[in-house]
Amino acid sequence: MRALALASVVSVAAGAVMAAPQGGGTLVVTTTPEPAIITNALSSAPTTAELATKIFDGLLEYDFDLNPKPSLAESWEISPDGKTITFKLRQGVVWHDGKPFTSADVQFSLMKVVKEYHPRGKGNLGPVTSIDAPDAHTVVLNLAHPYAPLMKGLSSLETPIVPKHVYEGTDFRNNPAVNNPIGTGPFKFAKWEKGNFIELQRNEKYWREGKPYLDRLIFRFIADSSTRAAGVERGEIDVATFGTINPVEMRRLEELPNISIAKGGYEAIAPVMMLELNTKRAPFDDKRVRQAVAYALDRNFITKNIWYGFGKPAVGPISSFVKGSGAFTDQGILKFDVKDRLDIANRLLDEAGLKRGANGMRTKIVHDVAPFGEDWRRMGEYIKQALARVGIEVELRNRDYPTFVREVHNKYDFDMTSTWSIGMADPTLGVQRQTWSKNINPEVPFGNVSQYSNPEVDKLWETAQTEKDQAKRSQYFHKLQELLVADSPVIWLMEMDLVAVQNDKVQDLITSPLGVRGGLYDTWVKQ
């Protein structure tokens, strides 16, 4: 397929001169919600990631086949026993404040910040016991055991490198640099006008010569979805990230002559939409009730009628995006989209002792709707109607983003909540955190918020971490898919296509498997 695509490009190039990238200009992006912080070493929130990956670099980047490419690390060597990885760092790189980037920054970032504070830090770096810095441009990662996923989780999205001289000896979360960040990336933080926009400016000392092409990036925060869509249509907004515009409007906009859907750029993210259930609180401390909810919801309806086909129904926690590695399976997995699903849901609720009252309802729950836009509220309305059919009364609660994170992810004060999760290129990196009991931590949001604990599941996750044989690892992941879907601490709804809407003057928006969550240093606009 790639050979055919390359041949097509060559053929086109033979008949026409490809336009050379133009320097300068401003790219205006709209996203939602406005982030609470813009340093992604401390948060995996989607909008935080969208901004921070322009400010910070990682040791590595990845091609569309998810093979590692140099970034802050120019080269690397893995020892025969797989327990030592030596990175040679790029020389001449400077932080945005002019200080030199060194191995001490990598050592500090990975061990003191990312591993402790990033929601996926323990998954990415779990077996890294120490890091040596024998000189200013060499780091040696020492592992307790071989760890195949590690080399897939060292991008700026997962393990951003932050400046030691700014953070050392401080309260990381309350350091002013969290929202006035200093990185080595292609763009520098310039201004944050709360409730309106964040401005990033070109890093004129970026280590990639001649890049980035853009002078400025503006991330605009607009409360109303229809206003965002109108801004794209009028040419005031160049790119709208997924979730900022109603899917039905996205389908309308893509029919206009100067607007298109920027597909791809989420291969390394493997995003899945889901409902998280509080397994420590009735009624979701009963597996039968959790399964009943899973049966009551029509994933095909959700995919087609709420998200207008921008995705496909999910099988379980592990996305089909990673089927190339063998980790995905849909065989032997409990299926909820069956003809008699409502009958099954009602029977399970009866067995759980939740009998219908005079009003036809069995129990009442509160659903905290993800504060990611109007479509999530629409899905909440559908969920309310669907669960009412089996006797579960749902109260919808809509909170602003900071309150949502505090109450749901820090205090665990919820019954059911909607969200979406980054699964990453390997289930150990992104999926494990949702159901691994060691990831129950109210200090780190977006982890195991269901507070699910199952010794068999824990053992499988931990065995998969250390297994070097990919075929055996895949068997562990298949068993996890089977167990977790059957237990349903989380209800996995849809594999998401995180497409963006773009004005056609924008060139090279999607150049990596991270898409708009990449550095955008190759992106340019026709003047």
Side-chain angles (χ1 to χ4, degrees):
M1 183 65 73
R2 291 187 180 276
L4 289 173
L6 179 59
S8 175
V9 170
V10 172
S11 174
V12 171
V17 177
M18 300 294 286
Q22 300 173 356
T26 297
L27 185 74
V28 180
V29 180
T30 186
T31 189
T32 190
E34 184 172 7
I37 66 173
I38 50 178
T39 294
N40 65 325
L42 304 174
S43 172
S44 65
T47 47
T48 296
E50 288 168 4
L51 278 108
T53 47
K54 287 73 183 157
I55 298 168
F56 299 99
D57 289 316
L59 288 175
L60 301 175
E61 293 192 353
Y62 300 90
D63 64 21
F64 280 100
D65 291 321
L66 307 183
N67 298 310
K69 296 167 51 179
S71 185
L72 288 177
E74 286 188 312
S75 63
W76 52 91
E77 182 178 343
I78 303 175
S79 64
D81 66 2
K83 295 170 66 174
T84 302
I85 306 175
T86 302
F87 291 95
K88 291 296 182 182
L89 304 180
R90 195 173 300 277
Q91 300 190 34
V93 177
V94 296
W95 294 99
H96 295 159
D97 62 2
K99 304 284 187 181
F101 158 74
T102 72
S103 57
D105 296 308
V106 176
Q107 185 183 47
F108 175 80
S109 297
L110 299 189
M111 296 303 292
K112 299 295 185 181
V113 185
V114 174
K115 189 173 182 179
E116 296 299 322
Y117 291 91
H118 192 283
R120 293 186 292 274
K122 285 184 171 63
N124 282 313
L125 302 168
V128 179
T129 57
S130 64
I131 297 178
D132 299 325
D135 61 55
H137 299 101
T138 304
V139 290
V140 181
L141 276 60
N142 303 303
L143 283 66
H145 54 76
Y147 191 57
L150 178 62
M151 292 298 289
K152 293 185 178 181
L154 295 176
S155 70
S156 60
L157 177 68
E158 291 299 287
T159 50
I161 306 303
V162 299
K164 179 180 180 180
H165 67 274
V166 170
Y167 282 96
E168 187 176 33
T170 73
D171 176 355
F172 299 158
R173 294 184 186 280
N174 293 308
N175 189 306
V178 166
N179 286 329
N180 188 5
I182 296 168
T184 61
F187 294 93
K188 300 186 295 185
F189 174 78
K191 182 190 301 183
W192 187 349
E193 189 174 298
K194 292 291 179 72
N196 193 1
F197 69 88
I198 290 175
E199 176 184 344
L200 307 181
Q201 294 181 350
R202 182 179 190 270
N203 177 11
E204 67 281 358
K205 295 182 179 180
Y206 192 45
W207 52 268
R208 283 185 170 93
E209 187 175 355
K211 297 181 181 180
Y213 296 117
L214 297 166
D215 285 337
R216 293 195 307 164
L217 276 174
I218 303 290
F219 288 85
R220 290 188 59 190
F221 311 114
I222 301 170
D224 179 62
S225 176
S226 60
T227 304
R228 298 180 207 124
V232 172
E233 191 166 0
R234 291 194 298 265
E236 298 167 358
I237 295 170
D238 302 314
V239 174
T241 63
F242 187 82
T244 56
I245 295 176
N246 292 335
V248 64
E249 278 289 273
M250 292 171 67
R251 293 300 187 195
R252 180 185 69 82
L253 289 171
E254 72 174 325
E255 298 299 321
L256 299 179
N258 63 324
I259 296 171
S260 58
I261 299 292
K263 298 179 180 179
Y266 39 81
E267 293 83 355
I269 297 175
V272 175
M273 184 179 296
M274 60 194 188
L275 300 177
E276 293 171 307
L277 310 178
N278 192 336
T279 64
K280 300 300 182 184
R281 176 186 292 182
F284 294 128
D285 55 349
D286 189 323
K287 180 175 78 171
R288 294 168 296 188
V289 180
R290 301 195 297 264
Q291 282 190 356
V293 171
Y295 277 112
L297 301 176
D298 187 339
R299 290 159 178 75
N300 286 294
F301 180 90
I302 290 170
T303 301
K304 294 176 181 177
N305 296 283
I306 296 176
W307 300 101
Y308 285 82
F310 289 113
K312 66 179 183 179
V315 171
I318 299 174
S319 167
S320 64
F321 278 108
V322 300
K323 63 183 176 182
S325 70
F328 170 80
T329 187
D330 57 3
Q331 301 301 307
I333 309 303
L334 184 62
K335 302 292 192 296
F336 296 112
D337 287 328
V338 292
K339 288 184 179 179
D340 57 343
R341 59 186 181 81
L342 295 182
D343 292 335
I344 297 172
N346 278 304
R347 174 175 56 79
L348 286 167
L349 292 169
D350 285 339
E351 292 175 359
L354 297 178
K355 305 299 183 182
R356 289 185 185 267
N359 64 352
M361 293 294 111
R362 304 170 182 271
T363 188
K364 181 178 180 179
I365 66 167
V366 176
H367 172 39
D368 283 281
V369 178
F372 300 149
E374 295 169 24
D375 305 301
W376 293 85
R377 292 192 286 273
R378 287 180 59 233
M379 187 169 73
E381 292 291 347
Y382 163 75
I383 291 169
K384 179 175 182 175
Q385 294 170 10
L387 295 189
R389 296 177 67 186
V390 297
I392 299 176
E393 183 180 355
V394 178
E395 176 188 336
L396 299 178
R397 183 161 56 190
N398 295 287
R399 290 163 155 168
D400 61 68
Y401 183 72
T403 304
F404 173 84
V405 172
R406 182 178 67 252
E407 298 299 320
V408 173
H409 289 272
N410 298 133
K411 294 184 178 180
Y412 298 145
D413 184 14
F414 76 104
D415 297 326
M416 177 173 73
T417 185
S418 53
T419 190
W420 66 275
S421 177
I422 291 176
M424 300 307 296
D426 187 289
T428 294
L429 300 181
V431 183
Q432 173 181 301
R433 65 186 169 115
Q434 301 167 15
T435 55
W436 188 33
S437 68
K438 293 179 183 176
N439 224 37
I440 300 172
N441 183 356
E443 297 297 318
V444 180
F446 303 104
N448 184 350
V449 72
S450 293
Q451 304 161 80
Y452 176 71
S453 180
N454 181 329
E456 185 179 4
V457 167
D458 284 350
K459 184 176 180 180
L460 283 165
W461 280 126
E462 289 158 12
T463 304
Q465 288 180 21
T466 59
E467 178 57 62
K468 291 189 288 186
D469 185 292
Q470 186 57 45
K472 290 182 179 179
R473 289 189 80 229
S474 292
Q475 290 303 312
Y476 297 136
F477 291 138
H478 295 176
K479 185 63 177 177
L480 281 161
Q481 186 100 309
E482 176 190 340
L483 289 173
L484 288 169
V485 172
D487 230 4
S488 294
V490 176
I491 298 173
W492 295 277
L493 297 175
M494 186 179 83
E495 295 181 6
M496 304 166 69
D497 292 344
L498 291 184
V499 296
V501 178
Q502 70 167 77
N503 189 297
D504 288 340
K505 73 178 182 180
V506 180
Q507 305 293 301
D508 295 327
L509 178 66
I510 308 297
T511 61
S512 86
L514 293 179
V516 294
R517 289 166 185 80
L520 299 191
Y521 51 79
D522 284 320
T523 304
W524 56 285
V525 293
K526 290 181 179 179
Q527 303 296 323

